[in-house]
Amino acid sequence: MTAPIRLAVIGMGKIANDQHLPAIAANPDFDLVATVSRSGEPVGDLPLFPNIDALIASGPVVDAVALCTPPQVRRAIAATALAQGWHVFLEKPPGATLAEVVTLENAAQAAGASLFASWHSRYAHGVEPARAWLAARTIQRVTVTWREDVRVWHPGQEWIWAAGGFGVFDPGINALSIVTRILPRPFFLEDAVLDVPANRQAPIAARLNFRDDAGVPIAADFDWRQEGPQHWDIVVETDQGILRLADGGATLTLPTGETPTQADGLHGEYPGLYARFAEVIRAGTSDVDVAPLRHVADAFLRGKRETVEPFVE
């Protein structure tokens, strides 16, 4: 495929409007042809459909869809799109369960379509230089602090507190997507504590302890109750000093004080995601890494649940 990829965006919430639409508009590989949402306004003169079945029935020519819906409902929509032979971009997390993502990957292969499980934080400017620098060092300890105010970043999003909504792991999985990318060895969960509000199904905070194959400890502190300054930081202690990733991976500081960034010329995480989506479509491949989701699943499997005060927005 060499012509622009005709794309429909499904799920026109905050992330679609704030991140997806600007990235699509700036990428000549894509031509936005329709949007799908149960509510909201059309984008310019483009048609707006209430669901994917209405999109299919209307007959617009579509090559690919970007799914920005909550994860609990995404599998059925993605399966329908793949059955049409459409390429599928999955907003993070790629699904509500590991099994459904594997099922979608198999469906994409059977349909000859591309499936892209996106992890936007991996496209932050400091991530790839951090990965390259750590590859030649001995890692001694990793500390992750991901603390933000849910009222600021996810106002009114009730689905996120329901079963399958991930709770604090919605931002926490961003940290895990970076750590699984920059560390040279796989790691596993040893123990976790999940703070679950008395009136919710999903945790508002989590403390996790991992260890890699060489015995290196990795500690993560995720919290949605942070007021004041927000923290999205990863600190890696090595035999040659401390590497720091701040601002969700956007700012890398090496022990020398250097602050290198990736040299691909992209500005922002979502432009990088759409460049990668176009790449896998044109190559006829898929990009589905479930490592971050696997660690979240392990936290729910092994984590100790502690009931905390109700959360009222």
Side-chain angles (χ1 to χ4, degrees):
M1 177 183 293
T2 57
I5 300 160
R6 294 161 295 193
L7 179 73
V9 176
I10 301 177
M12 294 302 297
K14 180 176 174 57
I15 193 70
N17 283 282
D18 291 354
Q19 301 293 346
H20 287 259
L21 294 187
I24 294 164
N27 191 323
D29 282 319
F30 291 96
D31 182 14
L32 183 64
V33 297
T35 58
V36 177
S37 184
R38 293 180 299 176
S39 59
E41 299 295 325
V43 176
D45 296 329
L46 297 178
L48 171 66
F49 300 95
N51 52 55
I52 191 171
D53 293 329
L55 172 65
I56 294 168
S58 71
V61 179
V62 173
D63 302 310
V65 294
L67 302 192
C68 305
T69 65
Q72 296 100 317
V73 301
R74 199 177 296 151
R75 186 211 62 80
I77 300 170
T80 299
L82 291 170
Q84 296 295 311
W86 297 345
H87 311 291
V88 175
F89 177 123
L90 299 172
E91 176 60 75
K92 69 87 190 174
T97 70
L98 285 162
E100 68 184 44
V101 179
V102 173
T103 299
L104 290 175
E105 188 173 14
N106 293 338
Q109 184 176 7
S114 295
L115 183 67
F116 179 39
S118 71
W119 299 107
H120 67 81
S121 291
R122 286 184 175 176
Y123 291 80
H125 287 307
V127 172
E128 287 306 310
R131 181 173 185 260
W133 191 86
L134 289 170
R137 274 75 187 181
T138 299
I139 298 170
Q140 299 168 336
R141 180 180 299 274
V142 181
T143 304
V144 180
T145 305
W146 225 254
R147 300 174 67 93
E148 63 181 52
D149 188 344
V150 64
R151 293 180 174 90
V152 172
W153 299 101
H154 299 276
Q157 296 182 17
E158 288 297 315
W159 64 266
I160 216 164
W161 295 107
F166 284 70
V168 76
F169 287 103
D170 182 77
I173 205 170
N174 295 335
L176 293 171
S177 74
I178 294 175
V179 177
T180 53
R181 178 65 181 168
I182 66 174
L183 296 186
R185 292 182 297 272
F187 55 91
F188 56 91
L189 184 70
E190 289 193 316
D191 60 75
V193 177
L194 312 182
D195 292 344
V196 182
N199 60 337
R200 304 289 178 171
Q201 295 296 315
I204 197 168
R207 295 166 296 285
L208 308 102
N209 291 302
F210 302 92
R211 197 170 295 276
D212 78 0
D213 283 350
V216 173
I218 303 162
D221 174 21
F222 302 154
D223 204 314
W224 251 354
R225 300 167 295 195
Q226 180 72 20
E227 297 180 0
Q230 311 285 278
H231 299 281
W232 302 283
D233 305 312
I234 298 171
V235 176
V236 185
E237 301 173 36
T238 79
D239 61 334
Q240 296 183 36
I242 296 176
L243 175 149
R244 301 179 187 274
L245 270 173
D247 304 321
T251 304
L252 168 64
T253 305
L254 299 179
T256 59
E258 296 175 88
T259 56
T261 62
Q262 61 188 19
D264 59 14
L266 293 173
H267 299 286
E269 298 171 1
Y270 279 81
L273 288 177
Y274 276 95
R276 177 58 178 160
F277 189 33
E279 183 179 42
V280 298
I281 290 172
R282 299 200 189 283
T285 60
S286 288
D287 183 349
V288 184
D289 178 11
V290 297
L293 182 58
R294 185 183 301 119
H295 288 302
V296 172
D298 285 352
F300 279 99
L301 279 170
R302 192 165 184 181
K304 176 184 177 183
R305 288 162 174 78
E306 294 191 348
T307 302
V308 298
E309 63 276 4
F311 173 80
V312 179
E313 190 165 0

